[in-house]
Amino acid sequence: MKKKSSIVKLSVIGVVLIIGIVLSFCSFDIGLTTYKSFASSIKLGLDLKGGVYAVYESVDENTENLDERMEGTRTMLLNLLQKKGYPEATIVKEGTSRLRVEVPDVDNPQEIFSIIGKPASIRFVLDETNEQVITGDHIERAEPGYTATDGYVVQLTLNSEGADRFADATTNNINKTMSIYVQVAGEEEQKISSPTISVAITNGRAVINGMRDYDEAKNLSDQIMSGTFSVKLSLMDSSTVSATLGEQALFYGLLAGAIGLALVIVFMCVVYKLLGAAASVSLIVYTILMLFFLAVIPGVQLTLPGIAGIILSLGMAVDANVIIYERMKYEYRNGKSIMASSFAGFRRATMAIVDSNVTTIIAGIMLFIFGTGSIRGFAITLLIGIVLSLFTSMIVTRGIVKYFININSTNPKLYGFRRGKGFENVEADQTDVSVQQQMDKEREEKEEKKRAKKDKDKNAGGLANENI
């Protein structure tokens, strides 16, 4: 009965595995929509897709609360790039005074530099009195828009202080002009617009009209938003990565991973026979799940170091299987049956595997917290890979090995097992009985603990009712 059931379960696993491989690597049309495979849905980083990177440093003379203001500038700059049409842009802090900007898949790199590097400060000034009304500190949002009466406009949203100051200025200066000045670090201040105050604006929402088209409105809103940065930035370093170089890096990175996976599968099957086949299935499951999570987890971008992280965690998944299998071979060599060896191998290797993976997880977390750019990409894929390798080695491999043993538990050659000296003629039937007894005992202990917990909770609930 167990043999037939295990064959059915292995067949189901095989079908699910084939479906998973198809979903991972094949894109196809479904009716009016197109299904994108897991692999093609993964967002690629700068080094694989090509693009531009730039490093900006604070040139603000005021160093008070610089770390907090740099974080605010990072957030504003990221929002600005995303609104401009670069949703995959990433910005990370380097130290306390630098920001590293990476934008993959950029056709015009100079446009990125112009978005970031134009105005470092902005202010609104009444022309008649030369009175400064608001600065970039008072602006929460500036974006292009369109109205039926004014055409293309720039819509401003001010904070509470800016709204009060703007209300006073516009109420007392109807039909007068208010100029907008911007200044790039190290350059002279320039006037970018001089709108006329037509009505009093008391709700903190202003509109600048007179734009010829959407591009002009978008350009002005970008200039205003970049002038809201909490600190002044200066371009320190920049470079572009061609798409050709990225494609080559991706191709050779994936080729290395595929060759490595194939060699590992061949090695495991040659050395561990059916156990190696079980490990190979779990590695394929690992690959499918890795591609799935890379595709669906928000904010994950695959980089070349990220591919290295995947291959490293793949090696650790194999390492876990090797530890388990060697323990199983040791148990069989010393007189236990195939079933008893499997039970003891997984049971006694668990803590060693968990300990080794936990230390790697800690290292990955530290890399993610303190790393920047591609180092974070490596840390993310490593952490995902470690968790998946634990799952596949401890759950998937264990289940498949169990099904194999249910099909044939009498031929040690199928598993690469050999008896040690002095145990060649040992009959192992009794060890199978002891294993079943051990499993029954553990099951009874778990059920007893559950019953005790229920009784404790019940008594606690009754006591609480009496107190009420």
Side-chain angles (χ1 to χ4, degrees):
M1 185 65 183
K2 282 187 177 182
K3 181 176 180 179
K4 184 177 180 180
S5 174
S6 296
I7 293 175
V8 171
K9 290 176 180 178
L10 287 173
S11 300
V12 172
I13 291 174
V15 173
V16 173
L17 209 60
I18 293 173
I19 295 174
I21 293 173
V22 171
L23 294 178
S24 297
F25 298 102
C26 300
S27 299
F28 44 84
D29 294 329
I30 305 177
L32 299 177
T33 62
T34 300
Y35 168 78
K36 292 183 64 178
S37 65
F38 302 155
S40 62
S41 300
I42 298 173
K43 297 181 179 64
L44 301 180
L46 182 67
D47 53 353
L48 298 179
K49 200 171 185 179
V52 61
Y53 82 87
V55 178
Y56 287 86
E57 187 172 35
S58 169
V59 292
D60 203 325
E61 295 179 358
N62 179 19
T63 59
E64 184 178 356
N65 298 324
L66 180 60
D67 190 63
E68 295 179 4
R69 292 190 292 122
M70 285 293 290
E71 182 61 31
T73 299
R74 188 197 71 82
T75 301
M76 292 179 182
L77 180 54
L78 183 60
N79 292 337
L80 175 61
L81 289 172
Q82 290 177 342
K83 288 179 181 179
K84 187 67 177 178
Y86 301 100
E88 296 181 7
T90 59
I91 305 176
V92 295
K93 290 173 59 180
E94 293 185 344
T96 58
S97 61
R98 290 191 177 186
L99 294 177
R100 182 183 180 90
V101 183
E102 294 185 354
V103 187
D105 197 22
V106 177
D107 296 326
N108 182 13
Q110 191 58 41
E111 183 179 7
I112 300 297
F113 301 140
S114 65
I115 292 174
I116 303 170
K118 274 194 175 177
S121 63
I122 188 167
R123 62 193 187 104
F124 288 61
V125 178
L126 288 170
D127 289 342
E128 185 172 293
T129 62
N130 202 33
E131 176 189 354
Q132 180 173 288
V133 181
I134 61 171
T135 66
D137 294 335
H138 302 109
I139 300 173
E140 290 185 349
R141 188 168 63 252
E143 53 190 2
Y146 183 86
T147 66
T149 55
D150 298 322
Y152 290 101
V153 298
V154 174
Q155 300 167 330
L156 301 177
T157 303
L158 309 177
N159 59 24
S160 57
E161 182 184 354
D164 293 339
R165 299 180 66 168
F166 212 73
D168 292 339
T170 55
T171 299
N172 299 322
N173 293 277
I174 301 295
N175 296 325
K176 297 179 182 178
T177 59
M178 180 185 296
S179 294
I180 305 172
Y181 293 91
V182 297
Q183 183 179 22
V184 181
E187 298 183 9
E188 293 184 0
E189 188 176 62
Q190 295 181 351
K191 182 190 297 185
I192 62 172
S193 182
S194 292
T196 301
I197 302 172
S198 57
V199 295
I201 301 172
T202 59
N203 62 356
R205 296 181 179 274
V207 173
I208 303 174
N209 55 26
M211 305 294 110
R212 290 189 300 271
D213 51 31
Y214 175 83
D215 289 338
E216 183 178 354
K218 180 66 174 172
N219 182 60
L220 179 58
S221 65
D222 288 344
Q223 287 181 299
I224 293 174
M225 278 303 296
S226 59
T228 65
F229 297 161
S230 300
V231 295
K232 297 180 181 180
L233 299 175
S234 176
L235 181 62
M236 300 297 295
D237 181 31
S238 66
S239 182
T240 58
V241 178
S242 67
T244 302
L245 178 61
E247 289 172 359
Q248 291 176 347
L250 178 60
F251 172 77
Y252 287 114
L254 294 178
L255 180 62
I259 293 175
L261 179 61
L263 291 176
V264 166
I265 289 176
V266 171
F267 171 81
M268 294 297 289
C269 290
V270 170
V271 175
Y272 296 105
K273 307 299 189 294
L274 276 183
L275 297 180
S280 300
V281 172
S282 72
L283 290 178
I284 296 173
V285 172
Y286 163 90
T287 303
I288 294 171
L289 291 176
M290 172 61 79
L291 293 174
F292 171 76
F293 283 112
L294 288 176
V296 300
I297 295 178
V300 172
Q301 286 187 339
L302 184 61
T303 62
L304 195 58
I307 294 177
I310 295 173
I311 297 174
L312 176 60
S313 58
L314 180 65
M316 295 194 68
V318 177
D319 179 62
N321 287 321
V322 170
I323 293 173
I324 294 168
Y325 294 165
E326 288 299 322
R327 185 70 200 191
M328 290 169 62
K329 291 172 71 174
Y330 171 82
E331 299 293 341
Y332 184 83
R333 192 162 52 243
N334 287 277
K336 290 187 178 180
S337 69
I338 294 176
M339 180 185 294
S341 299
S342 173
F343 179 80
F346 279 98
R347 180 182 178 86
R348 295 179 179 177
T350 297
M351 288 309 299
I353 295 171
V354 171
D355 288 345
S356 63
N357 281 274
V358 165
T359 55
T360 308
I361 288 174
I362 294 173
I365 292 174
M366 293 300 102
L367 285 175
F368 178 78
I369 294 174
F370 298 106
T372 58
S374 57
I375 300 299
R376 274 196 166 189
F378 172 80
I380 291 173
T381 55
L382 179 63
L383 288 172
I384 296 174
I386 293 299
V387 174
L388 291 180
S389 69
L390 278 172
F391 169 75
T392 54
S393 61
M394 303 305 299
I395 305 298
V396 177
T397 301
R398 186 170 194 163
I400 296 174
V401 169
K402 176 183 176 182
Y403 300 147
F404 281 157
I405 293 176
N406 286 340
I407 294 173
N408 191 320
S409 61
T410 59
N411 188 354
K413 293 182 179 180
L414 292 176
Y415 306 99
F417 289 171
R418 287 185 300 178
R419 289 295 187 193
K421 188 176 181 179
F423 295 95
E424 294 87 352
N425 300 318
V426 172
E427 294 294 335
D429 294 340
Q430 184 60 36
T431 58
D432 287 338
V433 174
S434 64
V435 167
Q436 189 63 47
Q437 291 174 344
Q438 178 68 17
M439 294 172 67
D440 292 340
K441 181 181 179 181
E442 290 186 357
R443 191 180 300 110
E444 290 176 0
E445 289 177 352
K446 289 181 179 179
E447 292 176 355
E448 182 63 29
K449 288 181 179 179
K450 288 181 180 179
R451 285 194 295 267
K453 187 176 185 300
K454 287 182 179 180
D455 293 340
K456 182 178 179 181
D457 293 341
K458 184 177 180 180
N459 294 333
L463 181 61
N465 290 331
E466 290 178 6
N467 292 334
I468 291 171

